[in-house]
Amino acid sequence: MNALPSQAQLTQQIAAIREFNRYYTARLGLLRKRHLDGEFALTEARILYEVSAQPKVTASALQETLELDAGYLSRLVAGLIRRKLIRRVSSDTDAREKPLLLTATGQKAVARLNEQSMAHIHGMLAHLGTAEREALVASLAGVRALLEDRQQAPLRITRLTAPNDHALAILREYYEAVHVVQRDKPGSIQQLIDEPASGLWLAYRGDEVVGCVVLRKLAALSRASECKRLYVKPSARGQHIADKLLDAQEAYARSQGIEWIYLDSYDDLKAAIALYEKRGYERCERYNDNPQATVFMRKYLGP
């Protein structure tokens, strides 16, 4: 077990980190009014970079990544839109969100920023030898690993034994996101949880619920259940949480003797359909009377 640092040691460590912060913020030019002496402030440049690296990133995901105040981020994004550097588009999966894309002007601006940044870092490394550059990069990776491991709580997938407020809240969010007409009531959720070859899973990041998925036994089909309500909060996407939810669901289905998992969707949910196809789901005939569904799929789990 690691010994706790004394107050004197902790004070010294904090001072050392603050000293390094002062050094690298000046060395990297982060204190200048304009990033790389160009046309953008540092935060504006970072937003452009994130939109370039993650086409159709949402404002909520940007806020999570950059750890910015929502109002401040909104003002910066609005300014970049007015300058015709980014634009809002329709979401493939969530009608409430308006993801962001670079315009042609924005793409040119990011290309200039990348060239300027590469030249700036090249100049910083010019006096270092190969071994020294490798040591520097390894040290940076080590710092990031130490800090990240302690910042992000581990993901936890839980199968519920009774409905709770977390489950009801994320299901409501899912219903609104994809405009679900046929919604579950608390009583039907308990029945679903109790029924064999069925269940409700939640994905927790620390104490926060960030995703859900439902498995429902299909009475009309032999050894078959249905995947429903797969949803991950916009701020938690890009972390393979949907895959982990589906992994837990499929493992449980196999343990219950289920050979086929079916699902329905509709054409506008292109990202979700692509995920299902990647996981081995194939198109099939309509198997239910869901009025919203236009796409029907199934996956063979084996005996």
Side-chain angles (χ1 to χ4, degrees):
M1 180 180 294
N2 294 331
L4 293 175
S6 67
Q7 185 59 47
Q9 289 175 318
L10 184 58
T11 299
Q12 185 179 22
Q13 291 161 356
I14 291 172
I17 292 173
R18 291 185 63 195
E19 181 181 1
F20 183 75
N21 284 346
R22 291 191 293 271
Y23 168 78
Y24 83 77
T25 50
R27 190 76 172 84
L28 296 179
L30 304 183
L31 303 179
R32 300 171 190 168
K33 184 176 181 180
R34 296 293 173 184
H35 181 51
L36 300 172
D37 293 326
E39 58 187 302
F40 302 107
L42 176 60
T43 312
E44 292 175 325
R46 181 62 187 275
I47 291 171
L48 289 173
Y49 172 80
E50 293 296 337
V51 176
S52 173
Q54 305 178 66
K56 291 194 174 182
V57 66
T58 62
S60 56
L62 267 181
Q63 182 188 357
E64 183 80 11
T65 299
L66 302 180
E67 300 183 16
L68 293 176
D69 173 76
Y72 177 52
L73 175 65
S74 178
R75 290 191 294 274
L76 290 174
V77 167
L80 294 171
I81 290 174
R82 284 195 301 272
R83 293 159 69 180
K84 302 188 185 304
L85 294 160
I86 59 177
R87 61 189 177 94
R88 297 188 186 276
V89 296
S90 298
S91 172
D92 295 331
T93 58
D94 189 340
R96 300 172 307 163
E97 293 279 5
K98 293 294 183 183
L100 302 170
L101 277 178
L102 291 177
T103 64
T105 302
Q107 291 172 0
K108 293 176 182 177
V110 170
R112 290 195 302 272
L113 283 168
N114 285 336
E115 290 176 3
Q116 292 167 342
S117 183
M118 289 286 287
H120 180 62
I121 300 300
H122 184 274
M124 291 178 58
L125 300 180
H127 70 288
L128 299 178
T130 300
E132 292 171 318
R133 292 196 298 271
E134 290 177 353
L136 173 62
V137 172
S139 297
L140 294 175
V143 169
R144 178 171 179 171
L146 286 170
L147 296 178
E148 281 187 344
D149 287 347
R150 288 155 177 77
Q151 285 181 343
Q152 190 173 69
L155 185 71
R156 174 168 51 93
I157 307 295
T158 300
R159 181 175 179 269
L160 296 190
T161 56
N164 58 33
D165 291 342
H166 291 157
L168 298 178
I170 198 163
L171 284 172
R172 282 195 300 270
E173 184 172 333
Y174 164 80
Y175 299 146
E176 296 300 324
V178 297
H179 308 293
V180 172
V181 174
Q182 298 178 342
R183 305 185 177 191
D184 300 302
K185 296 180 180 179
S188 64
I189 294 174
Q190 181 65 66
Q191 183 179 357
L192 169 75
I193 290 171
D194 293 338
E195 188 176 0
S198 302
L200 168 60
W201 287 260
L202 298 182
Y204 285 87
R205 181 72 79 185
D207 295 328
E208 180 189 7
V209 173
V210 295
C212 63
V213 72
V214 163
L215 184 71
R216 177 180 287 124
K217 183 74 172 68
L218 288 173
L221 297 171
S222 175
R223 296 184 178 277
S225 290
E226 183 181 27
C227 174
K228 304 288 289 183
R229 316 312 192 208
L230 178 63
Y231 179 70
V232 176
K233 288 187 174 184
S235 61
R237 291 173 189 168
Q239 303 173 34
H240 305 291
I241 293 173
D243 276 308
K244 291 179 173 63
L245 283 164
L246 292 173
D247 287 344
Q249 181 194 68
E250 290 173 14
Y252 178 77
R254 288 189 181 94
S255 76
Q256 298 294 300
I258 295 301
E259 296 182 7
W260 291 92
I261 295 185
Y262 286 73
L263 63 84
D264 63 37
S265 188
Y266 61 92
D267 295 298
D268 290 345
L269 301 181
K270 294 181 176 57
I273 293 170
L275 170 66
Y276 296 135
E277 289 176 337
K278 181 180 178 182
R279 292 187 61 91
Y281 280 85
E282 297 178 347
R283 305 290 177 115
C284 65
E285 298 296 320
R286 175 183 281 272
Y287 65 91
N288 64 26
D289 59 357
N290 182 355
Q292 290 182 280
T294 58
V295 174
F296 300 87
M297 309 179 79
R298 67 178 185 171
K299 178 177 180 176
Y300 182 60
L301 298 181

